[in-house]
Amino acid sequence: MLLEIDHLMVRYEKAVLINDISLGVDNGELVSLVGPNGAGKSTTLRAITGLVAWEKELKRRSTEGDIFLEGMVTFNGERIDQVPAHEIVRRGLVLCPERRRPFRELTVLENLWAGAYLGKSKTKSEENLNKVYDLFPVLKDRSKQISGTLSGGEQQMLAIGRALMSEPKLLCIDEPSTGLSPLMRQEVFDKIMQLKGMGITILLVEQEVSTVFKMTNRNYVLSSGKIIAQGSGEELLENEIIRKTYLGL
Amino acid sequence: MDILITGLITGSMLALLAIGFSLIFGVARIINIAHTAFYMVAAYGIFYFSIRLGLNPILSMLISVAFVTLIGVLVYKFIIDPIREHEGAVLIATMTLAMFLQEVILQLFTGDFRSIDFMIGGYFTVAGYKIFYQQLLTFGVVLIMLLAIWFLLMKTRLGLAIRSMAEDREVANLMGMNESRLAMITLAISVALAGFTGAVIGPLMVLNPHMWMEPLIIMMAVVVLGGLGSIKGSFIAAFILGFTEALVVFLVPTGAFLKGPVALIIMILVLLMRPEGLFGVAFEEER
């Protein structure tokens, strides 16, 4: 397995956000994490990419509540649960965050260069930039534009492009379709399929279950911080309780 | 003409101070009240090295800037960093530090007013107005510094990281940017800028152990007017306030006493009418 999560627990003071989950993603797979709001999907991604630990480190020095993080996360054969967020990126585990979050004051090109911050060489980064431009031609057209002025869909392309600049081995994408028009959503999902075709391993968190299940190899259904079901899209849709209670279909 | 020259010099000096102050606030959310105290220490540094020890003025300037930067980094490492997430504590700690530095200066140099010799003497006249070469030199050097800091921020990898971190710490982390290391580097740059301003402007000022207070207030007004965290805002607001200050001093009777109040009035008006300032950065909420 490329990524293995073993008995992960995350608690913010008394609220248990992730309650003992274990899951894995294999090389080349597209795996989804679905479930209702507040199920702990984003927290899972934040935990494996080191953001929960980072937040914990900040909180340690402040008077605000405690964060409790336990469990083992292995990536590419190495334990990463004690590794700081900025080092996890270096190992090829990259998060494209929820709500896209481009650096709004920076231009599109500057955002992409920020994504290549850890780039090994300028030539390699330029190569990656061209790949990103090939995948998202709109970013090339708007390279000089301040990214805060892009449309939601374009910002999502930028967020994915920025994440690709660091040549991820595993790309985690958090709710890419939120707030987009149906047309734009389809385009974003098409691009994700294209990434999969390029051999990039993807862990996708999404609400739009009906589309996602057609794209993925495997899926995990999360509810109240626990994995309550897993399997292929077809298998999960056959289970009526899962379908109605957790997926709202 | 006096207004123009004083406005330009004060404006550019304020810009250097405010940009440094904004930088470290942006990257690490540190409000460094001791910012102008570092400026004072550097001004006294150049006085000590060039007047007392008789060293070359340029060498004295470099030593002073290096010295305050070193103090800044040590203070960050041992005092600010451990309490960084308590904003109130950082305010109190840096305020205490400013007063501590003031007392140290008082002990070492007494409360007497001191002055530093001009690096180049002489003047020339334009339309009957005297312009000292020293004023021209100061303005030129400050402009070069502003250009250098612009270049650093806009054209280098470090600058990109600083700007990214200033906008969204969490996402910058996701790009592989090391937050605590960047905060340390930015603090060093910020303090060096304050020190540099003190060293450059020193010869045009009268040094005294309270000289950090007035620029602190005006610099805060600049930062509020420009928008907290916005470098461009700080730059433009510095010149607006620099010229306002010069106008008040030269056109209003006893105007020199009104510099502080005018800056404060501008600050209050901005806070009332446009709290985010001219170019306020809307910070992404961190969860």
Side-chain angles (χ1 to χ4, degrees), chain B residues 45-64 116-117 119:
Chain B
I46 189 170
F47 166 77
Y48 179 76
F49 292 117
S50 68
I51 309 281
R52 290 267 170 93
L53 299 185
L55 295 180
N56 173 303
I58 294 178
L59 182 66
S60 311
M61 195 160 105
L62 294 177
I63 300 175
S64 309
I116 304 168
D117 297 340
M119 284 177 195

Side-chain angles (χ1 to χ4, degrees), chain B residues 2 63 138 166 209 215 233 242-243 248 251 259 267 282 285:
Chain B
D2 280 339
I63 300 175
T138 305
F243 278 104
V248 170
L251 298 183
K259 284 194 297 190
M267 183 157 98
E285 262 308 300

Side-chain angles (χ1 to χ4, degrees), chain B residues 1 5 22 30 34 68 84 88 93 125 148 154 157 160-161 166 180 191 209-210 215 221 269 273 279 287:
Chain B
M1 196 63 169
I5 293 165
S22 259
I30 293 170
V68 287
R84 223 174 77 193
T125 45
M154 304 305 286
R157 183 169 169 268
L160 181 65
S180 43
V191 172
H210 302 287
L269 285 179
M273 294 190 300
F279 299 93
R287 297 176 313 136

Side-chain angles (χ1 to χ4, degrees), chain B residues 116-179:
Chain B
I116 304 168
D117 297 340
F118 279 7
M119 284 177 195
I120 38 171
Y123 61 87
F124 62 99
T125 45
V126 177
Y129 289 97
K130 262 194 216 170
I131 300 175
F132 289 97
Y133 287 123
Q134 179 67 36
Q135 288 178 316
L136 214 59
L137 178 74
T138 305
F139 182 60
V141 172
V142 171
L143 269 194
I144 291 171
M145 264 325 272
L146 284 170
L147 276 176
I149 194 78
W150 175 85
F151 183 83
L152 173 83
L153 287 172
M154 304 305 286
K155 299 284 170 197
T156 66
R157 183 169 169 268
L158 173 66
L160 181 65
I162 289 176
R163 287 187 295 144
S164 306
M165 194 57 86
E167 200 179 315
D168 191 331
R169 288 201 286 178
E170 197 171 272
V171 178
N173 236 318
L174 288 176
M175 305 291 114
M177 296 164 185
N178 183 342
E179 197 242 351

Side-chain angles (χ1 to χ4, degrees), chain B residues 158-226:
Chain B
L158 173 66
L160 181 65
I162 289 176
R163 287 187 295 144
S164 306
M165 194 57 86
E167 200 179 315
D168 191 331
R169 288 201 286 178
E170 197 171 272
V171 178
N173 236 318
L174 288 176
M175 305 291 114
M177 296 164 185
N178 183 342
E179 197 242 351
S180 43
R181 217 186 67 198
L182 266 178
M184 170 85 97
I185 295 172
T186 311
L187 185 109
I189 294 174
S190 158
V191 172
L193 275 178
F196 194 84
T197 317
V200 166
I201 206 88
L204 298 178
M205 305 262 296
V206 178
L207 310 191
N208 70 81
H210 302 287
M211 63 184 276
W212 60 279
M213 284 184 191
E214 196 185 286
L216 176 71
I217 294 168
I218 300 175
M219 178 194 73
M220 293 262 203
V222 166
V223 172
V224 169
L225 175 62

Side-chain angles (χ1 to χ4, degrees), chain A residues 70-165:
Chain A
E70 205 179 61
M72 196 162 88
V73 183
T74 319
F75 182 69
N76 217 4
E78 273 181 280
R79 265 193 85 159
I80 55 163
D81 42 273
Q82 302 296 324
V83 178
H86 63 266
E87 280 295 328
I88 291 179
V89 187
R90 198 184 288 277
R91 292 167 199 221
L93 173 49
V94 178
L95 172 66
C96 177
E98 197 181 0
R99 293 178 292 126
R100 312 177 261 277
R101 290 166 76 173
F103 298 114
R104 306 177 69 86
E105 301 280 309
L106 270 53
T107 64
V108 167
L109 185 60
E110 285 173 334
N111 264 277
L112 293 172
W113 281 125
Y117 184 71
L118 295 176
K120 290 177 190 81
S121 69
K122 185 132 194 188
T123 358
K124 188 79 201 144
S125 296
E126 265 161 12
E127 233 172 73
N128 289 334
L129 181 69
N130 286 328
K131 278 188 204 162
V132 169
Y133 279 163
D134 285 345
L135 194 63
F136 304 112
V138 64
L139 297 182
K140 190 173 187 180
D141 299 339
R142 300 189 180 259
S143 64
K144 297 242 157 49
Q145 194 171 327
I146 298 291
S147 60
T149 61
L150 295 178
S151 74
E154 289 162 348
Q155 286 188 5
Q156 187 59 58
M157 310 280 179
L158 175 58
I160 296 176
R162 185 177 62 182
L164 290 174
M165 288 296 287

